[in-house]
Amino acid sequence: MPHRSGPRLRTRSAPTVRRSLLCALALLLLAGCGTLSDPGGGTRTVEVWLMKGSLTEEFTDDFVRDFESRNPGAKAHVTVHEWPGIDKKVHRALRSDDGPDVIEVGNTQVAEYVEAGGVRNFTTEFAELGGDDWIDAMASSGQVDGYQFGVPFYAANRVVIYRKDLFEKAGVDAPPRDREEWLEATERLDEPEGQQGIYLPGRNWYVLAGFVWDEGGELAVERSGRWAGDVDSPEAVRGMEFYARLQGYGDADAAADEAHPDELEVFARKDVAQLVAVPGSAKLITDANPELAGKLGFFPVPGKRAGTPGSVFTGGSVLIMPERSDAREEGYDFIRLLASDGWQQRMANTMSFVPNKARLTEALEREPGTAAMAEAAENGHATPASPHWGDLEADNPLKTYQTAVLRGADVRTAARRASEEITRLLNGGA
């Protein structure tokens, strides 16, 4: 069982002006307490693991400089990891005496890591970290059994990023209003020689999940305390069939995922009309190909009914610390600064992510990518709340299912096999 170092969280209320001033004063006083250098006067290094696509290199460099200027004697070393395979790396890091001090993890993974043990409990620092103002859904993504183990970093969901110039050339005057219009437009966009109507990796299970939910299906359901895969239901199968139709209007391999090859690089370097990704990806795309600056637009993933956004997975990240960290003060200060209003606001403006506090989102309504994301979020969904969901993501039968169908396997047979494997994994391999 994980170490419980603090009391359970109570229901939060809006802080008063007086309390806010006291908290601000406390933070100023705390900033002067302790030293970030070791007793011998040497430099202490904070080892940080962040995930690819979360922050731009420029943002990261600027943040590290700010952190180091505020904390004399401290250095921050950031390593960027790919999402595929990160689960096993984090488990090893939590058991290690020489692991990182700060780790970015997905908002579906916290319970898994806490159950395994070795995650620092932030409950007693909740107010100091600004937790009274956190968006409830983001705060809860870092909680297990009422204790705060993760600090919300950002939230996001996918939208369609499209090339406005290619839409214009194809005579597509406006974003499609429903899924049938989307298919028709994507077919037209796929007609020019050397152009792809959409780049949709064969194993992008997040997008598939949205189509399954749109049809009224589920990835898995819980019955009497036991989970059962449900992608073989008629509704879920229809979601896979739509995925296959849409995916066919591009050249992505059936065995490709978002990272192999990097879908943002593909979109930046080739004539691709559409990509389903978080809106912050647009910045990374234009960084890779500045010629696309001003040419990108956004719209929510279309739903089955005109004017109704399609279902999307609402994802995001939280920041955790290993209990065995040998830079506990430095790591904590790194997280506290990254979760602060100024850097959260800049991250939201730069990456089009939802920041951890609702009052920081007002300015984002003027950003077209974030506006599309906010509209899509109205139909947001979470993955099944099994503590073994991380086991499924580590060896994802949904990806195997997608590749099999796109390579010609019978969809119902492949769906049944996937459901059986999902059932096994979500019940601890039993």
Side-chain angles (χ1 to χ4, degrees):
M1 292 294 291
H3 175 62
R4 310 281 198 205
S5 64
R8 286 176 176 268
L9 297 177
R10 302 291 187 242
T11 302
R12 302 193 302 276
S13 60
T16 63
V17 173
R18 180 174 179 274
R19 181 177 179 182
S20 296
L21 291 173
L22 289 173
C23 287
L25 178 60
L27 290 176
L28 288 172
L29 291 173
L30 284 166
C33 296
T35 176
L36 296 179
S37 57
D38 64 28
T43 299
R44 296 288 299 277
T45 300
V46 187
E47 293 290 343
V48 181
W49 285 6
L50 296 181
M51 301 309 300
K52 185 173 182 178
S54 292
L55 300 176
T56 63
E57 184 176 347
E58 179 183 3
F59 182 103
T60 303
D61 290 344
D62 287 349
F63 177 81
V64 167
R65 279 193 292 270
D66 187 31
F67 168 77
E68 292 177 350
S69 70
R70 291 170 183 261
N71 299 283
K75 296 292 182 183
H77 179 259
V78 176
T79 304
V80 177
H81 290 264
E82 302 273 1
W83 281 108
I86 190 61
D87 184 69
K88 294 179 181 178
K89 293 180 182 178
V90 172
H91 277 291
R92 287 195 297 267
L94 292 174
R95 296 192 300 266
S96 172
D97 290 322
D98 190 31
D101 304 295
V102 175
I103 308 175
E104 175 191 351
V105 301
N107 64 353
T108 65
Q109 300 173 317
V110 178
E112 170 194 347
Y113 298 137
V114 171
E115 184 178 61
V119 180
R120 177 173 171 174
N121 189 334
F122 287 115
T123 304
T124 56
E125 293 92 357
F126 181 81
E128 183 179 284
L129 288 164
D132 287 318
D133 293 333
W134 288 342
I135 295 171
D136 285 343
M138 295 181 69
S140 63
S141 69
Q143 293 174 7
V144 177
D145 296 334
Y147 295 88
Q148 195 75 40
F149 289 90
V151 176
F153 186 14
Y154 66 82
N157 50 260
R158 287 163 174 77
V159 300
V160 182
I161 302 174
Y162 72 99
R163 289 270 302 269
K164 291 186 286 186
D165 57 330
L166 298 184
F167 267 54
E168 183 178 352
K169 288 180 182 178
V172 181
D173 300 325
R177 297 173 299 171
D178 57 39
R179 291 200 331 198
E180 285 306 313
E181 284 191 6
W182 194 19
L183 285 174
E184 293 169 5
T186 304
E187 183 177 13
R188 291 171 63 182
L189 291 159
D190 194 50
E191 289 174 356
E193 184 70 26
Q195 183 171 301
Q196 299 180 56
I198 190 169
Y199 184 83
L200 181 57
R203 296 161 74 94
N204 191 327
W205 69 270
Y206 296 108
V207 175
L208 169 63
F211 299 154
V212 168
W213 291 322
D214 253 2
E215 294 289 348
E218 296 289 346
L219 303 180
V221 294
E222 187 179 17
R223 301 187 181 99
S224 301
R226 184 173 174 81
W227 287 92
D230 203 40
V231 295
D232 57 334
S233 71
E235 296 84 359
V237 166
R238 288 199 298 270
M240 180 66 234
E241 290 172 337
F242 180 82
Y243 186 96
R245 290 178 65 190
L246 183 67
Q247 199 269 346
Y249 291 121
D251 297 339
D253 191 270
D257 59 21
E258 302 97 302
H260 303 95
D262 185 334
E263 63 180 1
L264 305 185
E265 286 286 339
V266 173
F267 188 83
R269 302 300 180 191
K270 297 187 177 183
D271 286 335
V272 179
Q274 302 173 92
L275 181 73
V276 183
V278 294
S281 300
K283 169 64 174 170
L284 300 174
I285 290 167
T286 55
D287 282 350
N289 184 1
E291 293 182 4
L292 293 181
K295 296 180 180 180
L296 303 183
F298 311 85
F299 59 86
V301 173
K304 294 188 69 175
R305 296 187 302 277
T308 302
S311 299
V312 289
F313 166 66
T314 301
S317 288
V318 299
L319 301 169
I320 65 172
M321 283 191 70
E323 285 186 328
R324 297 185 178 187
S325 167
D326 58 4
R328 289 178 64 84
E329 291 183 20
E330 298 91 330
Y332 175 76
D333 284 345
F334 187 97
I335 289 177
R336 186 174 63 175
L337 183 60
L338 193 51
S340 68
D341 287 6
W343 282 104
Q344 283 284 302
Q345 184 75 71
R346 178 170 171 180
M347 180 193 69
N349 288 326
T350 302
M351 303 300 300
S352 295
F353 288 148
V354 177
N356 58 21
K357 300 179 181 71
R359 59 181 165 78
L360 301 178
T361 64
E362 295 178 1
L364 301 182
E365 295 175 1
R366 298 190 296 269
E367 299 292 330
T370 308
M373 182 170 64
E375 185 179 352
E378 296 175 10
N379 206 359
H381 292 251
T383 55
S386 165
H388 296 289
W389 185 256
D391 296 335
L392 184 145
E393 289 199 44
D395 187 20
N396 201 325
L398 290 168
K399 292 183 175 184
T400 304
Y401 166 46
Q402 290 174 280
T403 299
V405 172
L406 294 175
R407 288 181 172 172
D410 176 73
V411 63
R412 289 167 181 78
T413 301
R416 187 165 55 252
R417 289 173 180 166
S419 285
E420 291 171 354
E421 184 63 8
I422 291 170
T423 299
R424 185 185 70 82
L425 289 169
L426 293 189
N427 291 291

